[in-house]
Amino acid sequence: QVQLQQWGAGLLKPSETLSLTCVDYGGSIRGYHWNWIRQSPGKGLEWIGEITHSGGTNYNPSLKSRVTISIDTSQNQLSLKMSSVTAADTAIYYCTRGYESDWPTSNYWGQGTLVTVSS
Amino acid sequence: EIVLTQSPGTLSLSPGERAILSCRASQSVGGNFLAWYQEIPGQAPRLLIYGASQRATGIPDRFSGSGSGTDFTLTISRLEPEDFTVYYCQYYATSPRTFGQGTKVEIK
């Protein structure tokens, strides 16, 4: 049973680096397609980027220069790092996974982490 | 990059009525790799439809998806109280896997 749990710092100052972690307590992180998605207050869903089941990464062009998505297989953890945050990065951040290994859809979602950027 | 445009922005309907939501892509969506998500207040969104017309696990059959190419539709046959929320389409054939801006279904 997929059980996604995520965590990370909820309050950042402008220019700091956002760092979030996601684990699947029901199984292995490895071999699946993972996404990070965010939702700013009162706004829609925004796809941040992904790490594919084969380990490749792709990012939203508008965020690409600041984002890194990676997997630590030894810790069974997925991570998101976003540098030089501003108030515009205030949002709920979600890790998501597809139903099958190579599915890029978001069948399973973490509980979400609210990240607030404020001086 | 494919841009998805959802319409209408807001749909005002009564419980029991049918809702028809539209999602138009700026280019043809190969393989019908188009999904629909439902926003759930206080929770993570949930996947309703993938492959343009396949219901995800556990989704009631009042939700249906259709369409191909550049025009896709989510239909809710009879609105239940919990269906009044925001819906998003997503293109997922290739990166970037963009979302539409959302359609809000509100109680009339």
Side-chain angles (χ1 to χ4, degrees):
Chain A
Q1 181 182 355
V2 179
Q3 298 178 51
L4 303 185
Q5 187 75 25
Q6 51 180 109
W7 65 85
L11 180 61
L12 296 173
K13 290 182 168 51
S15 80
E16 291 186 333
T17 295
L18 177 157
S19 182
L20 298 178
T21 301
C22 175
V23 298
D24 178 7
Y25 287 118
S28 175
I29 286 278
R30 192 173 184 174
Y32 286 94
H33 188 120
W34 294 91
N35 303 286
W36 284 98
I37 292 167
R38 71 181 182 180
Q39 185 169 28
S40 301
K43 300 276 183 69
L45 300 175
E46 180 178 26
W47 182 81
I48 298 170
E50 67 190 4
I51 186 162
T52 69
H53 69 290
S54 57
T57 53
N58 297 295
Y59 302 110
N60 185 320
S62 68
L63 301 170
K64 185 175 182 178
S65 63
R66 300 192 292 126
V67 171
T68 302
I69 295 173
S70 61
I71 281 179
D72 182 340
T73 53
S74 66
Q75 298 287 327
N76 198 40
Q77 292 178 352
L78 168 75
S79 75
L80 169 69
K81 294 190 188 301
M82 181 183 295
S83 62
S84 305
V85 298
T86 70
D89 296 311
T90 293
I92 300 175
Y93 288 76
Y94 296 99
C95 61
T96 78
R97 204 206 85 181
Y99 183 72
E100 298 286 354
S101 63
D102 59 347
W103 286 25
T105 50
S106 295
N107 295 65
Y108 302 104
W109 294 67
Q111 82 279 16
T113 301
L114 174 61
V115 176
T116 302
V117 181
S118 174
S119 55
Chain B
E1 175 178 338
I2 284 187
V3 176
L4 300 179
T5 301
Q6 293 186 238
S7 61
T10 301
L11 198 51
S12 298
L13 295 167
S14 300
E17 289 193 299
R18 172 180 298 220
I20 299 175
L21 288 65
S22 173
C23 177
R24 176 163 290 178
S26 59
Q27 304 168 44
S28 182
V29 176
N32 286 343
F33 288 111
L34 192 288
W36 290 92
Y37 294 85
Q38 179 191 51
E39 198 174 288
I40 303 175
Q43 298 182 35
R46 71 167 173 170
L47 175 68
L48 298 175
I49 302 288
Y50 63 94
S53 62
Q54 304 301 304
R55 269 190 300 277
T57 303
I59 302 303
D61 61 7
R62 65 179 182 274
F63 291 95
S64 63
S66 62
S68 64
T70 61
D71 291 301
F72 298 86
T73 299
L74 174 70
T75 300
I76 311 172
S77 59
R78 295 171 309 280
L79 285 165
E80 298 286 340
E82 62 269 27
D83 299 338
F84 290 91
T85 184
V86 183
Y87 295 84
Y88 299 93
C89 57
Q90 184 196 25
Y91 163 84
Y92 65 91
T94 60
S95 171
R97 307 189 199 269
T98 53
F99 288 93
Q101 82 280 18
T103 289
K104 180 180 181 181
V105 178
E106 67 174 21
I107 297 177
K108 188 174 182 180

